[in-house]
Each structure stands twice: as C-alpha cells, then as structure tokens.
Amino acid sequence: MSVNEKDVRKIAKLARFAIADEKVPVMVDELNGILNWIEMLGEVNVDGVEPMTSVVAKDLPMREDEINDGFIQEQIVKNAPKSSHGFFIVPKSVE
Amino acid sequence: MSDLTKLSLKAALDGMNKGDFTSLELTNAFLDKIDAQNPKLNAYTLVTHDHAREMAKASDARRAKGQVGALEGAPLGIKDLFATKGFRTAACSKILGEFKPEYESTVTSQLWRDGAIMLGKLNMDEFAMGSSNETSAFGNVINPWQIEKKLTPGGSSGGSASSVAADLCLGATATDTGGSIRQPAAFTGTVGIKPTYGRCSRWGIVAFASSLDQAGPITKNVEDCAIMLKSMCGYDAKDSTSLEANVPDFASFINKGVKGLKIGVPKEYRMDGMPEEINQLWENGIEWLKAEGAEIVNISLPHTKYALPTYYIVAPAEASSNLARYDGMRFGARVDGNDLNDTYEKTRAAGFGQEVQRRILIGTYVLSAGYYDAYYLKAQKVRARILQDFTDAFKVCDAILTPTAPSAAFPLGQKQDDPIQMYLNDVFTVTTNLAGLPGLSLPAGLSKDGLPLGLQIIGRALDEETIFSVAGTIEAAANFTAKP
Amino acid sequence: MSIAAEASEPVFTAFKTARPDQWVKGVTGDWEIIVGMEVHAQVAAKAKLFSGASAAYGGEPNSHVSFVDAGMPGMLPVINKYCVEQAVRTGLGLGAKINLWSRFDRKNYFYPDLPQGYQISQYLYPIVGQGVLEIESDDKSTIEVGIERIHLEQDAGKSVHDLDPNATYVDLNRSGCALMEIVSKPDIRSPEEAANYFKALRSLVRYLGTCDGNMDEGSMRADVNVSVRKPGGELGTRCEIKNVNSTKFVAMAVAYEARRQIEILEDGGTIDQETRLFDVKTGQTRTMRSKEDAHDYRYFPDPDLLPLVITQEFVDGIKATLPELPSDKRKRFIADYGLSAYDAGVLVADKEFSDYFEEAAKGTDAKMVNSWMTVELFGYLNKNGIEFTASPVSAQNLGGLVKLIQDGTINGKIAKDVFAKMIESGDDASTIVERDGLKQTTDTGAIEAAIDALMAQSPEKVDEAREKPKMLGWWVGQVMKSTGGKANPAIVNDILKRKLGIE
Ligand SMILES: [Mg+2]
Ligand SMILES: [Zn+2]
C-alpha cells in the first residue's frame, strides 16, 4: 500500500496540522518509504494469533466511587493560553 | 576536597553518611560544573539552582535529625518528560511552551520522598521520538566522549546519558519506549535499565506510546542503577497498568554471580553488516560469563527482524492519539488562526517538529478507516508472536545477552535525513519494549575509535534480579574504567 | 484472561412492519417510519468514570475537574467500579446479556470540550449485549423494542457560546462523567413509540437507581435515527438527530424528520445521510454535518487501560439487589389490584407513583384509590403545577379517605369536599369528617322524615314519579340537597322506591 498527495493532505487534516504545499511531496516520499519497509510484516503468519494490546497480564483494576479530586479550578486553568472566570477561552466554535 | 562530581551515587551517599561532605556542598559542586559544562553539552534545558540548594539544605536538616532516605542528599537530573511541579515540563517540544505542571510525576515524587535533589530538567528528543537527540526543540545534545567530534549521545534520553557521563549529576531519570534508555547509555559509557513494563508508574510522565513507555535510571555503574531503580519503581494505583509486585533490593543481587545460570545468545541478533567490534564485544561478554560458571545456550528469537516495523506501527498509532491533547486550548503554546480549525492546524504545525509530525501522520494513517486491520491489527498479532519468541526462549535460559546497539555513537547529522537508518539504532532494544521485558545496558568495551560500546541483558518479566547478577558479573570482568 | 468470543457489531435484521394505523400519508401513498435510538444516560455516581472529581451537576466552571479530566500531560485513567456496576445493573434490568469481558477503546476527534483529543468508549466489546424493553405503542398495546447493547463511555465538557461574541468558553465539569450509551434496535415505528421508549427507559433507570433521569440537567439525552420507507419496503437512508432531551421533543423530532424525508422522496429527491440537530424553538431539524465531513474516529484499544473483566459472582451479586422492574410491576398491578393495563401503566411509569399507590391501597379498595389518585390528585397537582413529590396529601391520608367512603362513613360527594379540605389543611380525612360533622346519615328515621316532608311539598312530582320511574334520580337529588349531602344514597334510594312504589 502507498499514499499519494491527496492521502497525505487527508491524514494531515485528520491529525489537525497545516502542511505546506511544498512539504506534501516530501511527506509522500517519506511515508511511502516507511510504509514499504513496514510491508515486510506481510511475511509473518499470524493465523489464529490473538492481537496483543497490552503486555500486562492482569485485569483492569477498579477504584471506589469517592470524590477525592477536583476543586482546583485555579490550577486547572493556570497554564491556559487564555482563560477568564475559570473558563478556558477558545476560538469561536459553534456547531 | 577532591572533585565530588566524579563520585558514583553509592560513593556520594556513603560520603554524606560518613559526614565527609554535605548535600549542599555536593549540590553546589554539581551546579558549578553544570554552569561550566552545560553550554558545551546542552544536556540540561533548565537548571533549578535555587530549588536544588533549598532541597539540599532541607536534606541536610533531615539528616541532622537522623532522617536518612535511600537517596538522601543525592543530586539527580530529570528527563524533561517527567512532570515536575512548578518547573517547565516541555517534553522538549515547542508545543508545550512554558508549561509548568501543577503536579509531580509518581516516579520523581518517589525520588524526592527518598531524599534526592533535583538539579534540573534534561534534554531529550521531542516527545521521546528519536535516537540521536536531534529532534529536541532545545537543540542537539553533545556526547561528552570526544566532544570535538560532535557525536550524538543517542536518544531519546540523550540529555540523561550525556549528563551522567559528564558528571553533571549522580544519576538521571530516563524513559524507554524502543531503546531510549539503553541506546544512549551504550553511546555514553553509562548504565541504564528499562525495567519490566508496569514496574515504574507512568503517572505524570508525558506519554509517547502508552503500551511501550517505561521509566528507568541512567547511572554511572550497575550498583547505582540498582539503587536508583528501587526508588523509582513500585505499585501506583493511579496507573491502571502498574504491577502490584514486590520491589526487591536490586543491589543485593549484583554480587551473586552467574554460576549455573543459563544465558541465551540469540542467533538473529547477528546482523549482516554489523561492525566486527560489536561482534567481538559480544563474544567477550559470552566468555566472561562462561568463565564465571554460566552456561551459554544458543537460542532463536525468530521474529526479531519484524520488531522494528511492528514498533513503527504500534508506537506512532498510540502517539497520534496521545499527542492529540496538544492542541493549544488548555495549556501550551497556541498560534491563533482565523477559526477553530485554523488555530488547531497552525498550532500543531508550528508546535510539533518534523519527526513528531511524521510519526503522527503514520499513526493516523495506520488507524484510519480501511487500514486498521492491515496495519494496526496485524502489528498487534506480530507483537504477540514476538512475545511468544521470548516466552519460548526463557524456557531454556534465564537471561539473554546481546549487543545494545549496532554501532558506537555516530556524528550528529549523519542519519537525520534517513528515517529508517535512524530507526535501525533500536533494532536490538525494541523487542523488549514490545514484549514488556526488562533490559539493561552496560559499557563493556571501547570501539577502535575509543568510543564506548554496550552489552544488553534481557530478563524474564519481573526478574530484574537475575539481570543485576549478570550485569554485576560483566561489569567486574569488563573493568570498564574509561571516561570521556 | 479470556478474550471475548466475538465483537459486537450492530445487526439490523428482520424488520417488522408498522401497523397501518402508524403509517404516514404522503402524496404518493403510505409511508412507514423506522426509528432506532441511542440514549446517553449519565450514571448516578458520585465521582467520574476515570477520575475522582465530582460528577455532580453544576458548580463553578472547571471546579469538578481533575488533571485527568483536563487531559493534562501524563495523566492516566482509573475506572470507577460503581459505574461498572450500574451498567451491569441497567443491563440486567433490560434482561440483557452481560459480557464478562469487555474493553475500552479510544474514539479520536478534535473538539475544545474533548480535552484528551479522544473519548474513552467501548466500541467493539461493550459490557452489555442484547436485551429488550417493553413499551406501549400508539394503540396502548405493549410491544418489545430490542436493545442492541449498552456501553460505558466518558462525557465531554460544555462549550458556552453566548458569553462572548468572538470566543467560546469551555467548562470541563461534565468532562469525564460516566455515561451509559443504551442503543436500541430500529424497532420503533412512530413518534409516539419513540417518546414512549424514551419514557420507559427513563422509568427503568430511575427504578434501578442507575441514572437520575433528570433531563433538564442533561442526565438523559437521545440520539434519534430516523428513516422512512414504503410499508415493508426497502430501507431508506437514515439521519441521526443528536441530543434530544425530552420525551415531547423526541416525538416532535421524529414526526418532523419523517415528514421532511417523505417530502424530499416524493419530490423525487434523495436523503443524505447526515447528522442533524433538533431546534426546540422551531420544532424542526437542521443539518449539523454531512457524511462528507464525517469523522474518521480511528478507534483502537486504549493502551492506558486493560480489559474489563468481571465475574459471574459480581453479576449475580448485583442481580440479587435488583428491585421489581416496571414491566413486572405492571403485570402484578393488573393481576393483584384488578387494574386495567392502562391504569397500571400510568402508575408504574414513575416509581414514586407506584410506591404511593401501594401505600394508599393498603387494606382498601385499590381501584378506588387509583381513580382518586389519577383523577383528583393528579388533576389538582397538574392544575397547580405542583410536583408529585410535593403532594399535600400523603398516601396514607388518601387511603384513609377511600376507607371512609368504603365503610359508608361518607359518600362520594362529601368525599370531594373532604379531599379539598385535606389539600388545604394537610389533615387526614377522619379528622376533617369528625370536625365538620360530615358523617353520612344512615338514620332511616331522619331520612324518612326528610322524604315525607319533600313529598308533602310537591305532590305533583310524586305522581309524575309513579308514572315515570326515571324521576327517581331527581328525587334522590332533592333528598340529598335537603340533608346537606350527608344522607346515605343507598338508603335514600331504598326508602324512596318504597314510598313512591317504584320497582
Ligand atoms: Mg452514538
Ligand atoms: Zn456515545
């Protein structure tokens, strides 16, 4: 499988970063180089193999339903590029 | 007084225990040395002079009251991936701007709990993505070995490795997603261990690839490594993947010897085109262990060559999602655009460097509709095969010995334009991340050019003890005393 | 650690056809509405799904927020056991299959109120599988709506657009609250059924205590999938109407959307698969986003979490604490109290109603209690806009009133006056009857005397009644009036019949 310029633009859009026109062909080449290399996985027979999502051989630990966090409004918005009255301020985004 | 910065962590702790010097004296020695050396090495991105001195004074005060933690008074460097409360934590990315977390990572809080002193934040590849420390927004780190040659210290924990090698701290925290502790340790003549996945809490460490990331120490010798690891690891209820495992006194295993241990030597790690000096180093390691009574077993890890391509699907996929939170909305740098989407796109284009962008693109692609099964699902299955290789191997051996990296440190800039050549640096280390196993690198010799070379010891899950026994034996036999 | 046998993906099969009375008339003939719903119900937990911050509604902006909920670097999720239990409990209430092995996936998309850049949800392996909910159809019959699945997921934060003309304000208090997404099969065939489904689901979760069902606070929101087709014909393209938050609006949205689609199709157009919004002001739906800019969510298993594995004992423990469910209670009310299916349905719709009813009906005529409750009490509360829970008449007092009627202490007419006084004073019925001397007169002598006096007054009416026995009613009325309503109507009847010679 390989990607073309349209694919790269689409992926960049999904990943939300602007990509300069002149950088698109470079990215196409780089991605295809990596994708071609990855192709070698096709050689591996994985019939009947369960996909591995974690190396930790235990089940999900659960916590009790207790309120023991929060009420730190100041700390939550402290690093915000813009905030006011405890809100984060972001560009106008109406659906 | 002799140069305190040249002491090992253990020797420094002993010196303070004996009253030879105070933590403040030791800390000041390091701060002076950092001020002098760091401009050349660029290992630190932030030096916390005042904070370090305050911590040292507090430590000396505790000691006066008889309260002496396991790392009491020891000045350490902290990789910029660990959240340090009130101090810039940028993962060496522009996108985090001047982000100062309001929280402290579990691993670093445990170091402070045990009395350690923070000297500052250490340089690294941006978001830990790199093997040469050239992707940092704070510039390259220079390897203190043959400093005029401007060699890479390796990556991503290049600042950690460089600072330890140059005596700019007693030890440093580091993280390893595909080899980021072990390869820089090998390139700088230091010791580094990536413990079993789940040993160290990931809480408060900026995530790169969650199923692979593990913290660990880089230190001057094996004993220091064991001491520092003990403080760093332990169960943490805030990390769902943390292991509820007993934390042994790792240092007590260093002198246990290897008599009767079966050491596996995987044939697949003899790669075509690998420099002869690496092969020779490996042979030396085998001979040293044999001489101490270990039995050498030839083993096969048949899926080794698929580990890197698997990694370059799994890690970017997880990273593409983990790095979605860097959007300029709640923290970090924002580049204003015409509207919301424009702001997102400008912020992330300006904030992420090229390698990070490359990996986010790959990760986004392999997870996208229509490609998930062919790439991500396939990679997860191959990953299961790689783990199975190790499970089978550990039926016939107790630890595995390999070279750490396929070469010695190379000049900065040499591999920057060829991603795959760069990725191949991690060919021997990445398998243990995929399998979640512990791996340690220690210096075992010099290349013909006089650069350090490392050997890697891989152990069973949660069997760092055996790794330390093997490492102790090799360290004694190799008698690696060279310094930059 | 055992892996689930197979992933749960929606199966849309064997559609039933709507009854003809549910068809919608178009210019070209009849149409059938097909509806499936995804209801987001917030788990009634104290803390959030993956953090220890408060899940309470409201609060100062960003106060019910931990570093985890704000998506800060290095933060990790740890699951709230109570939320898992509530999802299982809801599943059991729907008679659904509980999956002992389930998993959390990340759903990736960018939005300022989604701090992590992904929502943790259960995509391929939900905790609850197929079940069923009984609801009432338009013709009052009971129908079954299939439940496809329930999964646990995080809620997003809130974007406030009206504080500043040039910016959006983001409050993450809701971010990370636990939601159960309850997905129905497309078994719903009319706006009424859609509303009734939402109502029945709300009733169920409130019975179970797994969600407070508070729609004003957004505790329950429905995504409604609507398509139309010729009765029994090919399925049409569906549109999803997002975040409808009341029973009434669900019905309005379905009706409007079906009509819109029918008009387009009858004009020779085609339906675009899209996400739409319901505008409560206009009662219309409008485009939110089309399929072209549909997201590619890039789901993958969340590597910060491990598989959610529960045991059968865990499930059985929850099962043992299940209350009687609305559908069972309805059946019991019909069988034990002799109520009609409709009356039973009304009472069971709300746990508070049925609890009140059962308390009031203790040792007295249940049907009479039902009618006093639904006609007089509900009538009064509705008229005055009073919440049921704030009723001035307690269940015991209503039961006491009915007992007085039943044992002949007062008659039905007096009872209405007593009820009015009960509302006013909050006193019980017997106190009021005693105090105001409202006891029914059963003294036959007194009644005879009253009748004799009336007969003497209007002899012509006596004659009339003897010829036209239907006049008896008029006579009863006169006697009641002259006794101030207190005469026992049965005794009045008997004596009148005898004296007037009516058989
Ligand atoms: Mg949905
Ligand atoms: Zn949902």
Side-chain angles (χ1 to χ4, degrees):
Chain A
M1 268 176 272
S2 64
V3 293
N4 56 32
E5 295 199 5
K6 198 174 149 232
D7 297 327
V8 166
R9 286 182 200 279
K10 201 185 125 203
I11 307 162
K13 201 167 183 311
L14 265 179
R16 294 292 188 281
F17 47 76
I19 182 161
D21 285 344
E22 66 274 14
K23 268 182 71 183
V24 174
V26 181
M27 281 292 191
V28 169
D29 288 348
E30 283 183 3
L31 289 203
N32 281 334
I34 295 166
L35 290 171
N36 286 336
W37 174 62
I38 287 171
E39 292 288 290
M40 78 163 95
L41 293 189
E43 301 164 11
V44 185
N45 180 357
V46 291
D47 292 350
V49 176
E50 284 289 349
M52 178 174 161
T53 53
S54 172
V55 297
V56 175
K58 68 170 196 176
D59 301 331
L60 188 62
M62 301 195 215
R63 52 169 242 278
E64 296 303 316
D65 183 29
E66 281 160 9
I67 300 171
N68 50 25
D69 209 341
F71 304 110
I72 46 169
Q73 183 200 59
E74 213 189 297
Q75 296 174 63
I76 291 296
V77 298
K78 195 160 189 174
N79 280 286
K82 269 186 197 166
S83 70
S84 169
H85 296 92
F87 287 98
F88 294 106
I89 301 184
V90 305
K92 196 83 182 165
S93 51
V94 187
E95 289 230 336
Chain B
M1 209 179 293
S2 61
D3 186 353
L4 296 179
T5 64
K6 294 208 183 307
L7 295 173
S8 69
L9 170 63
K10 180 66 171 45
L13 291 171
D14 288 347
M16 285 184 285
N17 287 342
K18 280 189 283 177
D20 294 349
F21 47 88
T22 64
S23 173
L24 186 60
E25 286 163 349
L26 184 62
T27 301
N28 278 328
F30 276 111
L31 291 171
D32 290 348
K33 188 149 193 181
I34 292 167
D35 291 343
Q37 303 282 320
N38 198 52
K40 279 182 279 176
L41 296 176
N42 198 29
Y44 282 85
T45 59
L46 180 75
V47 185
T48 53
H49 296 88
D50 295 345
H51 183 66
R53 290 188 184 105
E54 273 168 41
M55 286 182 97
K57 281 180 207 161
S59 169
D60 288 332
R62 279 196 300 272
R63 186 182 292 279
K65 283 191 283 177
Q67 295 164 11
V68 181
L71 295 172
E72 197 61 58
L76 304 176
I78 303 301
K79 189 178 183 182
D80 199 27
L81 210 57
F82 293 78
T84 43
K85 188 172 179 176
F87 294 101
R88 186 182 64 207
T89 300
C92 286
S93 177
K94 273 194 262 179
I95 206 153
L96 272 151
E98 289 298 313
F99 178 69
K100 292 186 185 70
E102 289 291 311
Y103 47 88
E104 185 78 30
S105 82
T106 297
V107 165
T108 49
S109 11
Q110 290 178 182
L111 296 175
W112 316 144
R113 172 203 67 197
D114 287 351
I117 311 302
M118 178 167 86
L119 292 168
K121 300 301 285 283
L122 294 166
N123 207 338
M124 54 180 277
D125 280 297
E126 182 181 7
F127 283 105
M129 296 181 191
S131 304
S132 63
N133 219 307
E134 290 166 290
T135 71
S136 168
F138 293 87
N140 299 340
V141 177
I142 313 292
N143 192 327
W145 289 79
Q146 302 175 12
I147 196 162
E148 67 292 347
K149 285 191 183 160
K150 294 206 182 315
L151 302 175
T152 176
S156 65
S157 309
S160 306
S162 178
S163 64
V164 172
D167 296 324
L168 301 190
C169 58
L170 286 177
T173 65
T175 63
D176 190 316
T177 304
S180 283
I181 289 175
R182 292 158 288 161
Q183 180 253 21
F187 280 12
T188 57
T190 54
V191 179
I193 186 169
K194 178 203 91 74
T196 307
Y197 182 88
R199 268 274 192 215
C200 285
S201 169
R202 293 183 296 113
W203 195 90
I205 301 174
V206 174
F208 162 14
S210 310
S211 77
L212 302 159
D213 296 345
Q214 256 305 285
I218 291 181
T219 55
K220 298 184 190 182
N221 63 37
V222 173
E223 187 178 26
D224 289 0
C225 193
I227 292 170
M228 200 167 152
L229 179 66
K230 187 174 191 319
S231 282
M232 290 173 72
C233 62
Y235 174 68
D236 181 9
K238 290 188 288 190
D239 175 357
S240 296
T241 61
S242 175
L243 294 173
E244 277 177 273
N246 169 48
V247 179
D249 179 12
F250 298 115
S252 69
F253 294 87
I254 293 172
N255 297 317
K256 280 195 93 177
V258 293
K259 206 172 173 68
L261 280 184
K262 294 195 175 88
I263 305 296
V265 175
K267 65 169 192 256
E268 289 79 7
Y269 282 57
R270 289 189 201 283
M271 301 239 161
D272 290 342
M274 192 161 74
E276 182 43 38
E277 60 194 15
I278 304 273
N279 256 325
Q280 188 51 54
L281 179 84
W282 196 5
E283 284 308 321
N284 293 346
I286 292 168
E287 290 310 318
W288 293 328
L289 292 174
K290 254 196 219 166
E292 292 300 317
E295 184 188 334
I296 302 301
V297 189
N298 287 316
I299 58 164
S300 174
L301 298 168
H303 294 88
T304 299
K305 76 165 176 168
Y306 303 109
L308 268 178
T310 299
Y311 175 84
Y312 276 95
I313 293 171
V314 173
E318 293 182 10
S320 71
S321 177
N322 281 335
L323 270 56
R325 66 188 60 198
Y326 306 101
D327 59 1
M329 297 295 140
R330 294 163 312 285
F331 49 80
R334 180 191 293 179
V335 180
D336 287 310
N338 304 321
D339 56 24
L340 176 65
N341 258 332
D342 195 35
T343 304
Y344 277 141
E345 293 189 349
K346 286 197 164 109
T347 297
R348 289 166 61 82
F352 291 137
Q354 196 184 329
E355 180 62 23
V356 173
Q357 291 195 15
R358 191 185 281 143
R359 296 204 198 182
I360 291 176
L361 285 186
I362 295 171
T364 304
Y365 180 69
V366 299
L367 289 177
S368 65
Y371 301 103
Y372 180 87
D373 288 5
Y375 289 113
Y376 192 73
L377 199 64
K378 175 88 190 200
Q380 283 186 318
K381 291 178 178 179
V382 178
R383 188 176 178 185
R385 283 266 193 242
I386 290 166
L387 174 61
Q388 189 60 48
D389 283 355
F390 279 105
T391 309
D392 293 343
F394 280 120
K395 285 174 188 156
V396 297
C397 68
D398 302 304
I400 296 169
L401 183 72
T402 78
T404 306
S407 74
F410 50 87
L412 288 159
Q414 192 185 72
K415 300 185 179 180
Q416 222 175 352
D417 299 330
D418 187 344
I420 294 171
Q421 276 310 306
M422 186 65 85
Y423 298 167
L424 284 170
N425 263 290
D426 293 333
V427 67
F428 298 142
T429 47
V430 73
T431 50
T432 66
N433 297 84
L434 290 167
L437 302 173
L440 176 146
S441 174
L442 79 165
L446 291 174
S447 72
K448 61 181 187 317
D449 296 332
L451 292 172
L453 298 172
L455 282 177
Q456 174 180 235
I457 304 148
I458 301 169
R460 294 187 178 97
L462 290 176
D463 186 19
E464 284 83 359
E465 292 99 314
T466 302
I467 291 181
F468 279 109
S469 297
V470 177
T473 302
I474 295 178
E475 186 179 49
N479 192 26
F480 183 89
T481 52
K483 289 291 271 180
Chain C
M1 193 162 61
S2 68
I3 304 285
E6 64 199 65
S8 148
E9 280 187 89
V11 220
F12 298 117
T13 51
F15 284 141
K16 61 172 186 187
T17 305
R19 289 188 315 272
D21 64 273
Q22 295 174 311
W23 293 352
V24 178
K25 291 248 172 303
V27 189
T28 61
D30 292 322
W31 293 85
E32 187 188 351
I33 308 176
I34 309 284
V35 179
M37 278 161 75
E38 295 161 22
V39 173
H40 286 95
Q42 184 179 330
V43 177
K46 287 188 281 207
K48 294 186 177 181
L49 182 56
F50 292 114
S51 93
S54 169
Y57 177 77
E60 279 281 296
N62 291 310
S63 61
H64 298 172
V65 178
S66 69
F67 297 125
V68 177
D69 309 311
M72 293 284 173
M75 292 299 98
L76 297 171
V78 181
I79 200 165
N80 183 334
K81 184 179 181 189
Y82 184 79
C83 296
V84 174
E85 288 167 349
Q86 302 321 299
V88 169
R89 195 171 165 83
T90 305
L92 291 171
L94 290 162
K97 179 173 180 289
I98 307 301
N99 295 320
L100 300 182
W101 194 100
S102 65
R103 187 179 82 190
F104 287 94
D105 301 290
R106 291 185 184 176
K107 177 181 183 178
N108 296 284
Y109 66 95
F110 286 87
Y111 203 68
D113 61 20
L114 187 75
Q116 296 159 308
Y118 54 84
Q119 177 197 35
I120 306 178
S121 181
Q122 296 190 296
Y123 178 55
L124 279 183
Y125 301 95
I127 185 161
V128 177
Q130 302 199 15
V132 68
L133 181 64
E134 283 185 358
I135 70 157
E136 189 179 90
S137 182
D138 320 23
D139 66 351
K140 309 289 178 216
S141 66
T142 298
I143 62 158
E144 287 189 345
V145 174
I147 300 296
E148 183 62 42
R149 58 187 280 167
I150 304 177
H151 61 258
L152 276 168
E153 62 184 24
Q154 298 176 297
D155 204 348
K158 193 174 70 180
S159 293
V160 186
H161 302 296
D162 52 10
L163 287 175
D164 184 326
N166 304 311
T168 293
Y169 283 48
V170 176
D171 170 14
L172 299 177
N173 280 352
R174 220 175 57 190
S175 162
C177 286
L179 299 177
M180 299 179 280
E181 182 172 329
I182 305 162
V183 183
S184 87
K185 295 190 187 249
D187 288 348
I188 296 162
R189 291 293 174 272
S190 70
E192 290 79 4
E193 284 187 4
N196 289 346
Y197 171 79
F198 196 38
K199 212 190 284 177
L201 199 56
R202 178 173 183 271
S203 169
L204 179 79
V205 293
R206 281 167 57 83
Y207 264 78
L208 294 168
T210 57
C211 168
D212 66 18
N214 195 330
M215 304 209 198
D216 295 337
E217 296 178 357
S219 296
M220 276 187 92
R221 284 116 63 188
D223 297 343
V224 192
N225 289 291
V226 181
S227 66
V228 297
R229 65 172 177 181
K230 290 289 184 182
E234 282 274 299
L235 272 185
T237 303
R238 66 191 169 91
C239 291
E240 182 177 22
I241 310 157
K242 281 275 180 201
N243 279 335
V244 188
N245 67 351
S246 88
T247 307
K248 194 174 94 188
F249 293 152
V250 165
M252 283 168 72
V254 172
Y256 176 86
E257 181 59 19
R259 179 51 67 189
R260 186 189 73 87
Q261 292 184 13
I262 290 167
E263 276 168 19
I264 290 172
L265 293 170
E266 292 194 326
D267 283 351
T270 51
I271 306 300
D272 296 327
Q273 187 177 333
E274 60 182 4
T275 306
R276 300 179 68 84
L277 275 180
F278 178 70
D279 186 333
V280 295
K281 289 189 205 103
T282 61
Q284 298 180 350
T285 65
R286 59 183 158 83
T287 302
M288 192 166 133
R289 58 173 179 262
S290 68
K291 203 190 173 185
E292 278 69 59
D293 46 56
H295 295 299
D296 180 342
Y297 290 120
R298 293 158 284 135
Y299 286 99
F300 75 109
D302 191 330
D304 287 333
L305 295 164
L306 299 165
L308 175 56
V309 180
I310 53 175
T311 61
Q312 191 57 48
E313 295 78 72
F314 180 89
V315 177
D316 292 343
I318 296 168
K319 201 181 250 170
T321 68
L322 280 193
E324 184 181 25
L325 299 177
S327 55
D328 296 331
K329 188 175 276 189
R330 202 163 140 265
K331 282 171 201 147
R332 181 166 65 81
F333 277 21
I334 295 168
D336 292 5
Y337 295 115
L339 298 181
S340 70
Y342 175 79
D343 288 342
V346 170
L347 291 179
V348 163
D350 198 314
K351 188 164 182 296
E352 269 131 15
F353 296 173
S354 55
D355 286 350
Y356 185 101
F357 167 77
E358 294 210 80
E359 177 66 30
K362 265 182 199 157
T364 184
D365 185 330
K367 279 176 150 176
M368 206 185 282
V369 167
N370 171 60
S371 102
W372 273 89
M373 190 178 153
T374 55
V375 180
E376 299 300 330
L377 181 62
F378 283 8
Y380 165 77
L381 296 175
N382 283 343
K383 207 173 113 191
N384 294 285
I386 298 169
E387 285 290 318
F388 180 75
T389 45
S391 166
V393 178
S394 71
Q396 269 178 329
N397 285 358
L398 188 76
L401 177 69
V402 172
K403 275 193 197 105
L404 293 183
I405 303 170
Q406 221 188 345
D407 66 15
T409 310
I410 54 173
N411 61 45
K413 188 177 172 306
I414 291 291
K416 289 194 182 179
D417 298 339
V418 174
F419 183 71
K421 290 178 180 175
M422 287 167 74
I423 287 170
E424 238 168 68
S425 64
D427 291 337
D428 66 28
S430 47
T431 308
I432 293 166
V433 167
E434 205 62 48
R435 185 185 69 207
D436 297 355
L438 299 174
K439 254 198 183 136
Q440 182 163 256
T441 306
T442 47
D443 175 349
T444 46
I447 295 172
E448 273 202 58
I451 290 174
D452 288 343
L454 283 168
M455 286 173 80
Q457 261 174 40
S458 323
E460 71 289 351
K461 295 283 186 189
V462 175
D463 294 339
E464 226 177 295
R466 285 187 175 138
E467 271 153 45
K468 280 197 284 179
K470 277 188 182 158
M471 281 286 291
L472 182 65
W474 181 86
W475 272 104
V476 172
Q478 292 304 110
V479 178
M480 294 307 282
K481 207 190 261 177
S482 81
T483 58
K486 287 185 283 182
N488 180 318
I491 296 172
V492 172
N493 243 309
D494 286 350
I495 299 174
L496 271 175
K497 276 186 188 165
R498 178 158 49 77
K499 297 212 176 220
L500 295 171
I502 299 172
E503 203 27 64

